[in-house]
Amino acid sequence: MIDLHTHTDRSDGSDPPERIPELAAAAGCTAVAITDHDRLDGIERARARGDELGVRVIGGCELSVGSDAGPLHLLAYFVEDGEGPLQAALSGVQDGRTGRNRRLAARLAELGLPASLEEIEAEAGGGGVGRPHVAAVLVRKGVVASVQEAFDVWLAAGRPAYVERPRLTLPEATAAIHASGGVAVVAHPFTIRPDAAELEEAVATMAAQGVDGLEALYGRYTPEERGTLAGLATRHGLAVTGGSDYHGRYKPDLQVGTGRGDLAVPDHVLDDLEARRRSN
Ligand code: AMP
Ligand code: ZN
Ligand code: FE
Ligand code: FE
């Protein structure tokens, strides 16, 4: 068993990178990918711990990109911190996030919500600031009862405190990922369209724009949804991948490896991804 989608406290997870391979080992995983939003700086720390435990740590990250079908999350695998085309692109993306965070804090002040940039940054603990950190401050202040409620009422796209940030396009992102030796996988595809029939055409376009796989085996999907997405991926020649989207206490329903208890991504998924990497 493996888990190809986890977040650490370098972005908006709550656990330090070293903890992820520990949880993966306890769950019975042979490999785990670190996929923090827009950054690669948790990978080496996780790998050092994974090496001690006999758990393979795959380098990765999760990017928010614009596509013909609308915004989507793109996972990169087999990429590392350091120099390279993807790494250069991420530096620009991080600057965009910093600007967004300043505008978001200003919007919160306008709305009379008690979450300053200083408090939000303190919640992030020195890692990249994301909306889950804003949500956690709003929970602590008693504005909302849960992180999910903070998104539903204030922070989700279309809600009063939503602030856009610049994104790479899908072709730009897949090109940078491939040029850095990686593969590109569309995360939680039902976020793009909740309807599988409507996804079909979007997936054909994504495959033509360099996408290598679909995250069919996602922690929050039902067995039926996973099967539907696996069929969709296979029809378009894409790899079927999977992971929990573990965020520690920011998404308390999800565990490393097992998701909500019913996830089990087989080891051969990684072999398929590696084969695609060589042929990119
Ligand atoms: P950011 O990177 O700051 O744009 O925040 C992205 C993070 O917010 C990801 O971890 C998402 O899982 C989380 N997120 C985005 N939209 C929602 C939503 N509607 N409900 C709960 N969490 C969300
Ligand atoms: Zn996240
Ligand atoms: Fe995501
Ligand atoms: Fe994620």
Side-chain angles (χ1 to χ4, degrees):
M1 184 167 104
I2 62 175
D3 187 337
L4 296 180
H5 194 160
T6 70
H7 295 266
T8 81
D9 65 10
R10 299 312 304 148
S11 68
D12 59 1
S14 60
D15 289 351
E18 292 81 3
R19 182 80 180 131
I20 303 296
E22 292 172 2
L23 293 169
C29 290
T30 57
V32 65
I34 304 296
T35 54
D36 279 312
H37 299 280
D38 308 337
R39 48 201 299 157
L40 302 162
D41 56 349
I43 298 166
E44 267 311 317
R45 285 171 55 189
R47 184 169 295 125
R49 185 70 183 119
D51 287 348
E52 292 171 358
L53 295 167
V55 173
R56 180 176 171 198
V57 170
I58 311 296
C61 65
E62 184 174 21
L63 282 160
S64 302
V65 308
S67 82
D68 296 342
L72 63 83
H73 284 185
L74 190 68
L75 294 158
Y77 297 116
F78 311 123
V79 293
E80 300 292 332
D81 206 5
E83 302 288 310
L86 174 66
Q87 294 80 354
L90 289 179
S91 156
V93 169
Q94 284 161 18
D95 291 345
R97 178 180 284 277
T98 302
R100 186 281 306 261
N101 293 336
R102 274 198 291 270
R103 296 196 304 280
L104 174 51
R107 176 74 60 84
L108 294 170
E110 280 167 25
L111 292 165
L113 295 175
S116 68
L117 188 57
E118 292 68 32
E119 288 167 314
I120 296 163
E121 286 175 342
E123 175 68 30
V129 172
R131 283 176 288 162
H133 299 120
V134 179
V137 173
L138 294 177
V139 171
R140 189 151 19 85
K141 297 288 180 77
V143 175
V144 288
S146 66
V147 167
Q148 189 57 54
E149 187 187 332
F151 273 92
D152 293 344
V153 177
W154 299 107
L155 296 168
R159 305 310 299 164
Y162 181 73
V163 175
E164 260 300 342
R165 63 185 168 104
R167 298 163 180 272
L168 297 174
T169 66
L170 182 63
E172 287 169 347
T174 57
I177 291 166
H178 292 160
S180 289
V183 297
V185 170
V186 173
H188 40 74
F190 281 129
T191 309
I192 307 167
R193 296 277 185 286
D195 181 86
E198 290 181 27
L199 264 181
E200 193 84 45
E201 204 184 309
V203 168
T205 304
M206 290 171 199
Q209 292 179 339
V211 165
D212 301 293
L214 289 191
E215 188 183 47
L217 312 177
Y218 183 62
R220 280 180 172 165
Y221 291 164
T222 65
E224 193 192 356
E225 289 172 322
R226 293 170 190 159
T228 299
L229 288 173
L232 184 57
T234 305
R235 278 198 296 287
H236 294 276
L238 299 177
V240 173
T241 80
S244 62
D245 208 4
Y246 178 76
H247 279 72
R249 65 184 153 82
Y250 294 104
K251 293 189 180 181
D253 56 320
L254 296 169
Q255 303 309 316
V256 172
T258 56
R260 285 173 163 169
D262 67 351
L263 187 70
V265 181
D267 290 31
H268 65 73
V269 164
L270 202 43
D271 303 329
D272 185 16
L273 276 186
E274 294 215 74
R276 286 167 193 272
R277 176 191 191 186
R278 285 191 291 272
S279 64
N280 270 338

